């Protein structure tokens, strides 16, 4: 039985909270795609850490945590997360890292910065974590995998790749990379990471056949997917359901529930189309209420209303079977709340979504308005306990999208949830 948690919109929907709740019933939690561009808070001994690679389920030593083959891993960041866990008394014996996962090295980060600089006005607003260039190397078949990283091949591959990248850095007048320095520094990370690297594909395959409860932790989101998102304003991996299969080797036959996570409003960290964005006071207010600042980028996130046209697209692309909606308490602090239920395209009302930026540029949102003031949600023990305004808002989302809401986030603490 495999349950999947995916981002329903543009990232930062609070997937971590849903995963944390569902992982209580899981035996294995797997990350499938992306890399250190994702961020989630982990609380260890009362202190908050921003983890970017290791799923939070690592804190429960009964759960095996897997970083799948579809993830691009920055060894420096992974080694640091392992160190934090060990320094806090965790054995980390429950971690497995795919030997097939590709690694991110300093030249990928430098290339990410260079590409952004060259895009000028058309920049994507990446997280500067080297994600795009690392996936480029993977598809160009020049990438360095975990199995290479922990072997004697590492030196040779780094030298070859640095030589090639330096030619480009030289053209743009950038400082070049020193392969010896990379090899020296990263050999230290090999010593920390090596023991976790294994064939996770066969491990997961045997586990699913044995009936283990597996939870897949998606990162990024549907509209950031390189195929289905608002290209080119996307990340460089498949953050939709397909990426779960190719990023782990899990079999589609075993997939059970697919949770699409959304916030009760919307945000975007980075450039690209965002039809329901509120660029002025309302957006500022939502940002302030929801503490919407990028975990990695520290940028103020762009904020606005939930777009049900886009959400229906996410449902179609991923086969979402249940919705998880976070931050109901945040949006409930407003007097009036809006939901985008359609677009006006060339003067005609349509419920058609297309992730093509040229199409979206011609659309304006059609809103339905709701009474707000439903921030007393924290008192609720079940959806039925929510006040009428909150219920109307949630009912309308379900009605338009045609998928049940099974998880409602009603406060900042992990236990502030309603689930059915
Ligand atoms: P989680 O898992 C929000 C966005 C970046 C940028 C674009 C490309 O926390 O939801 P990249 O560095 O991936 O090449 O950047 O994608 N982006 C995210 N936005 N949450 C994320 O992850 C994101 N990961 C990437 O802001 O617009
Ligand atoms: Mg994020």
């Amino acid at each position: 039985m495999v349950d999947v948690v995916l981002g329903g919109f543009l990232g930062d929907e609070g997937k971590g909270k849903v995963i944390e709740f569902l992982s209580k019933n899981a035996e294995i939690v797997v990350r499938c795609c992306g890399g250190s561009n994702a961020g989630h808070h982990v609380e260890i001994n009362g202190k908050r850490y921003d983890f970017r690679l290791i799923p939070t389920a690592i804190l429960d030593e009964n759960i095996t945590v897997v970083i799948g083959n579809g993830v691009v891993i920055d060894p420096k960041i992974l080694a640091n997360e392992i160190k934090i866990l060990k320094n806090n008394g965790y054995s980390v014996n429950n971690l497995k890292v795919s030997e097939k996962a590709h690694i991110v090295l300093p030249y990928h980060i430098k290339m990410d910065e260079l590409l952004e600089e060259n895009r000028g006005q058309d920049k994507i607003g990446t997280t500067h974590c080297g994600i795009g260039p690392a996936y480029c190397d993977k598809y160009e078949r020049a990438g360095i995998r975990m199995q290479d990283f922990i072997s004697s091949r590492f030196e040779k591959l780094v030298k070859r790749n640095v030589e090639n990248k330096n030619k480009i850095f030289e053209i743009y007048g950038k400082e070049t990379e020193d392969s010896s320095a990379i090899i020296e520094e990263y050999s230290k990370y090999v010593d920390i990471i090596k023991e976790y690297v294994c064939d996770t594909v066969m491990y997961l395959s045997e586990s699913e056949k044995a009936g283990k409860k597996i939870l897949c932790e998606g990162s990024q989101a549907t509209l950031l997917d390189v195929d289905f998102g608002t290209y080119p304003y996307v990340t460089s991996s498949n953050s939709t359901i397909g990426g779960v299969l190719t990023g782990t080797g899990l079999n589609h036959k075993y997939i059970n529930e697919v949770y699409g996570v959304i916030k009760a409003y919307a945000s975007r960290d980075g450039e690209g189309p965002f039809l329901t964005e509120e660029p002025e006071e309302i957006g500022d207010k939502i940002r302030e209420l929801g503490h919407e600042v990028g975990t990695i980028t520290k940028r103020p996130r762009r904020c606005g209303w939930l777009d049900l046209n886009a959400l229906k697209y996410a449902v179609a692309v991923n086969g979402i079977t249940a919705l998880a909606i976070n931050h109901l308490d945040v949006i409930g602090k407003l007097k009036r709340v809006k939901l985008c239920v359609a677009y006006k395209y060339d003067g005609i009302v349509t419920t058609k979504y297309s992730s093509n930026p040229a199409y979206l540029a011609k659309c304006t949102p059609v809103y339905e308005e709701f009474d707000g003031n439903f921030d007393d949600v924290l008192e609720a023990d079940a959806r039925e306990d929510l006040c009428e305004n909150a219920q109307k808002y949630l009912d309308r989302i379900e009605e338009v999208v045609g998928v049940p809401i099974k998880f409602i986030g009603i406060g900042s603490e992990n236990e502030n949830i309603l689930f059915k």
Side-chain angles (χ1 to χ4, degrees), residues 10-13 15 37-40 127 220 269 294-296 301:
L10 283 160
D12 306 320
E13 302 95 343
K15 295 179 284 293
N37 49 350
H40 47 260
T127 58
Q220 288 77 52
D269 176 9
T295 320
I296 312 296
R301 292 183 186 135

Side-chain angles (χ1 to χ4, degrees), residues 23 26-31 51 53-68 78 81-82 85-86 89-98 193 195-198 200 203-204:
S23 63
E27 292 166 277
I28 301 168
V29 174
V30 200
R31 244 199 93 171
F51 266 31
L53 286 166
I54 304 182
T56 45
I58 194 77
L59 303 182
D60 182 343
E61 302 204 337
N62 295 316
I63 301 175
T64 303
V65 163
V66 177
I67 302 182
L78 178 59
E81 291 181 2
I82 293 170
L85 289 163
K86 287 200 164 164
Y90 291 91
S91 72
V92 199
N93 288 339
N94 52 333
L95 175 66
K96 291 185 191 292
V97 177
S98 172
I193 294 169
E195 65 181 286
Y196 307 105
V197 179
C198 61
T200 57
Y203 167 73
L204 289 171

Side-chain angles (χ1 to χ4, degrees), residues 13-82:
E13 302 95 343
K15 295 179 284 293
K17 184 169 181 158
V18 181
I19 288 156
E20 193 139 326
F21 177 80
L22 296 175
S23 63
K24 290 188 187 119
N25 283 317
E27 292 166 277
I28 301 168
V29 174
V30 200
R31 244 199 93 171
C32 321
C33 65
S36 47
N37 49 350
H40 47 260
H41 302 299
V42 192
E43 202 170 304
I44 308 174
N45 297 335
K47 204 173 156 207
R48 271 168 80 111
Y49 295 92
D50 285 337
F51 266 31
R52 295 155 66 170
L53 286 166
I54 304 182
T56 45
I58 194 77
L59 303 182
D60 182 343
E61 302 204 337
N62 295 316
I63 301 175
T64 303
V65 163
V66 177
I67 302 182
N69 57 279
V71 180
V72 286
I73 300 173
D74 185 328
K76 188 178 185 161
I77 293 176
L78 178 59
N80 187 46
E81 291 181 2
I82 293 170

Side-chain angles (χ1 to χ4, degrees), residues 10-13 15 37-40 112 124-132 218-221 224 233-236 268-271 295 297 299 301:
L10 283 160
D12 306 320
E13 302 95 343
K15 295 179 284 293
N37 49 350
H40 47 260
D112 195 352
I124 293 164
T126 73
T127 58
H128 291 222
C129 294
I131 304 299
S219 28
Q220 288 77 52
L224 290 174
Y233 302 99
V234 292
T235 190
S236 298
R268 179 160 208 162
D269 176 9
E271 308 299 320
T295 320
T297 61
R299 291 187 287 232
R301 292 183 186 135

Side-chain angles (χ1 to χ4, degrees), residues 136-372:
C136 280
D137 274 3
K138 171 174 173 172
Y139 288 99
E140 200 193 333
R141 290 153 294 172
I144 301 179
R145 294 164 300 168
M146 267 295 164
Q147 58 190 274
D148 307 314
F149 178 57
I150 61 167
S151 80
S152 55
R153 291 189 298 278
F154 182 54
E155 254 189 71
K156 189 176 137 205
L157 293 172
V158 172
K159 280 189 184 145
R160 181 200 67 191
N161 284 4
V162 166
E163 207 174 290
N164 288 335
K165 306 292 172 196
N166 277 349
K167 288 180 193 150
I168 302 170
F169 295 140
E170 273 166 18
I171 291 172
Y172 288 98
K174 296 286 169 197
E175 208 181 306
T176 53
E177 288 287 327
D178 175 1
S179 55
S180 312
I182 295 177
I183 293 162
E184 196 190 324
E185 183 188 347
Y186 281 70
S187 299
K188 284 186 279 176
Y189 308 138
V190 171
D191 294 339
I192 299 173
I193 294 169
K194 200 173 180 173
E195 65 181 286
Y196 307 105
V197 179
C198 61
D199 182 352
T200 57
V201 176
M202 283 323 290
Y203 167 73
L204 289 171
S205 171
E206 280 155 19
S207 301
E208 67 187 347
K209 270 192 231 141
K212 296 244 171 164
K213 288 187 197 134
I214 304 174
L215 182 65
C216 290
E217 167 168 336
S219 28
Q220 288 77 52
T222 307
L223 299 184
L224 290 174
D225 180 283
V226 67
D227 282 281
F228 302 109
T230 55
Y231 192 92
Y233 302 99
V234 292
T235 190
S236 298
S237 66
N238 284 117
S239 38
T240 48
I241 191 75
V244 171
L245 301 181
T246 55
T248 62
L250 284 165
N251 190 315
H252 66 93
K253 274 195 310 204
Y254 296 98
I255 291 188
N256 176 42
E257 201 88 90
V258 180
Y259 291 91
V261 188
I262 48 169
K263 285 189 278 217
Y265 52 91
S267 72
R268 179 160 208 162
D269 176 9
E271 308 299 320
F274 182 8
L275 254 70
T276 53
E277 179 177 14
E278 284 285 350
E280 292 174 10
E281 297 113 84
I282 297 172
D284 292 345
K285 185 84 194 156
I286 299 174
R287 183 178 314 110
E288 184 195 321
L289 292 171
H291 308 291
E292 291 292 348
V293 178
T295 320
I296 312 296
T297 61
K298 308 293 172 214
R299 291 187 287 232
R301 292 183 186 135
R302 300 157 65 193
C303 291
W305 307 110
L306 191 53
D307 179 344
L308 299 186
N309 251 11
L311 184 55
K312 279 191 288 183
Y313 173 74
V315 168
V317 164
N318 295 300
I320 289 170
T321 56
L323 293 175
I325 182 162
N326 273 312
H327 291 329
L328 188 69
D329 54 318
V330 169
I331 203 76
K333 290 195 171 75
L334 299 177
K335 278 200 193 84
R336 299 281 289 168
V337 182
K338 290 197 213 174
L339 271 181
C340 167
V341 293
Y343 300 152
K344 213 170 209 180
Y345 176 87
D346 265 352
I348 298 162
V349 174
T350 174
T351 54
K352 179 189 161 211
Y353 180 84
S354 161
S355 58
N356 179 350
Y359 170 79
L360 293 172
K362 284 190 173 176
C363 292
T364 50
V366 176
Y367 288 115
E368 282 178 10
E369 283 209 30
F370 296 78
D371 284 326

